[in-house]
Amino acid sequence: SIEEDVDAPEDLQARAPIVTVMGHVDHGKTSLLDYIRKENVIAGESGGITQHIGAYGVTLEDGQKITFLDTPGHEAFTAMRARGAQVTDIAIIVVAADDDIMPQTKEAISHAQAASVPIVFAINKIDRPTANPDKIKEGLAGMNLLVEDWGGKIQSHDISAKTGQGINELLEKVLLEAELLELKANPDRLATGTVVEAFLDKGRGYVSTILVQSGTLEIGDYVLAGTCSGKVKAMQDERGKNIEKAGPATPISILGLDGAPQAGDKFNVLDDEREAKQIAAKRSQLQREQSVRTQRH
Ligand code: GDP
């Protein structure tokens, strides 16, 4: 059966924050995620992250970790929320300093607020001669969002996703915010988490990127994800490295599911392969019945 989500306090251990990047189109979300992905080098390991699996983890120089959802924009955020997935701990909202607070900036802010997710503002493109970060901060103040420079409590940092200026400091502020949240999870239980993306690969079959949120996923585990199930045959991290197990806040791509679950589907590990198959089959049947019903209407 599916294990309940209750853990004794003594079983909980600190975990990395999971961060989503949102903001208006062209304000630099993709550039920021690309910069962090390329520049991050884990101690002793050279080169940036080469795989694009929908999420990645970075380790800062001081050893602290952050997990990024690598799908910029609030569509992914809202799609996941619509499926009941609470994945994001902190939202970085990117605002271009040579532009204004735009409609999608406001939407991103209200999505984060509706989900009670703390915001860290990244005031981007400060390398541009026409950049005016103060104008942006004033605009935020006008929306009752007082950033630190303006005597408020909301974190913000001026950055350039092009030159990298300010990005380390931005990430430090994300970690400060994370500290306040006291994020914890129990690594010693059957894994649960959320599907980030999934697709059918010609050579490898169904590849699903999942984010372990609680527990530890191991090769050989029976996974139930939405209407799909299967035994985990292989796991890879965002560097394409094969791994044997993955703990809380770790994004990994897995092989072995019998289909492609949807982004935002929850996954569980069950003791029994047959039970996982039965539940998945029941869910598919329910979905088919529902779609027949909506077609009739
Ligand atoms: P997104 O739509 O929010 O993902 O924005 P992109 O990351 O695609 O950036 C939009 C455009 O702005 C691209 O042409 C980027 O090269 C450019 N851009 C992004 N960040 C910066 C920056 O910090 N400085 C400058 N000069 N250009 C930037």
Side-chain angles (χ1 to χ4, degrees), residues 107-270:
E107 269 175 47
I109 291 167
S110 36
H111 287 312
Q113 286 176 332
S116 302
V117 169
I119 297 168
V120 176
F121 284 103
I123 315 293
N124 190 31
K125 308 198 187 184
I126 51 157
D127 59 286
R128 289 211 168 145
T130 50
N132 187 354
D134 258 335
K135 190 185 88 179
I136 303 296
K137 289 169 200 174
E138 189 180 356
L140 291 174
M143 297 169 65
N144 245 329
L145 295 164
L146 282 179
V147 299
E148 278 187 323
D149 296 2
W150 281 64
K153 287 194 180 134
I154 302 171
Q155 309 260 20
S156 90
H157 205 80
D158 298 352
I159 65 158
S160 166
K162 190 177 171 187
T163 67
Q165 186 188 339
I167 291 181
N168 281 338
E169 292 82 356
L170 174 75
L171 299 185
E172 288 302 329
K173 288 186 174 176
V174 167
L175 284 168
L176 271 178
E177 201 61 50
E179 233 169 78
L180 300 176
L181 296 173
E182 297 188 57
L183 302 166
K184 287 183 176 149
N186 177 6
D188 298 317
R189 49 169 289 170
L190 296 177
T192 63
T194 303
V195 175
V196 177
E197 62 176 47
F199 62 96
L200 179 60
D201 181 81
K202 203 176 161 201
R204 294 182 296 164
Y206 289 103
V207 183
S208 314
T209 294
I210 59 176
L211 188 62
V212 177
Q213 288 172 277
S214 182
T216 298
L217 186 71
E218 298 184 26
I219 288 184
D221 280 348
Y222 300 117
V223 169
L224 167 68
T227 57
C228 307
S229 71
K231 184 175 168 172
V232 178
K233 281 193 274 186
M235 296 199 263
Q236 275 191 350
D237 66 10
E238 64 282 88
R239 286 153 203 271
K241 207 172 98 193
N242 284 309
I243 51 173
E244 300 286 314
K245 45 176 78 181
T250 312
I252 35 158
S253 60
I254 63 166
L255 299 182
L257 292 187
D258 60 4
Q262 298 203 43
D265 275 343
K266 297 215 176 68
F267 81 83
N268 294 87
V269 168
L270 281 77

Side-chain angles (χ1 to χ4, degrees), residues 69-137:
L69 289 175
D70 198 7
T71 38
H74 56 246
E75 287 83 1
F77 184 80
T78 43
M80 287 213 183
R81 287 245 304 150
R83 303 185 77 76
Q86 272 286 12
V87 184
T88 305
D89 299 308
I90 294 166
I92 293 180
I93 296 184
V94 180
V95 192
D98 64 345
D99 198 0
D100 270 310
I101 296 168
M102 298 298 280
Q104 286 172 287
T105 318
K106 290 182 187 159
E107 269 175 47
I109 291 167
S110 36
H111 287 312
Q113 286 176 332
S116 302
V117 169
I119 297 168
V120 176
F121 284 103
I123 315 293
N124 190 31
K125 308 198 187 184
I126 51 157
D127 59 286
R128 289 211 168 145
T130 50
N132 187 354
D134 258 335
K135 190 185 88 179
I136 303 296
K137 289 169 200 174

